[in-house]
Amino acid sequence: MIISIFIVFAIFILFNINKLTNSLCLQKEIPEEKQAKVFRTINVLITILLISSYIEILYT
């Protein structure tokens, strides 16, 4: 039950973070070549954060 709620929460968070990252790239006028690296870095860091949060919730 917890995992299904957390997956929905994680998808919502990732979607919103990607929207904010896109806004950042447009506002700071980051070149197209570097945008992929920015998105990849932010997505990896957010995924690590979500996984560690899930593990903390699971073992608390």
Side-chain angles (χ1 to χ4, degrees), residues 13-57:
I13 294 296
L14 282 171
F15 178 74
N16 282 327
I17 293 295
N18 280 328
K19 280 182 19 181
L20 290 172
T21 304
N22 187 39
S23 298
L24 173 73
C25 289
L26 293 176
Q27 184 180 13
K28 296 296 180 180
E29 298 176 0
I30 297 175
E32 289 286 328
E33 304 84 38
K34 293 189 178 185
Q35 285 185 13
K37 186 176 180 183
V38 171
F39 273 94
R40 187 177 321 115
T41 302
I42 291 174
N43 282 335
V44 166
L45 292 173
I46 294 298
T47 303
I48 291 169
L49 180 67
L50 288 169
I51 290 171
S52 63
S53 298
Y54 177 72
I55 290 172
E56 183 177 347
I57 290 171

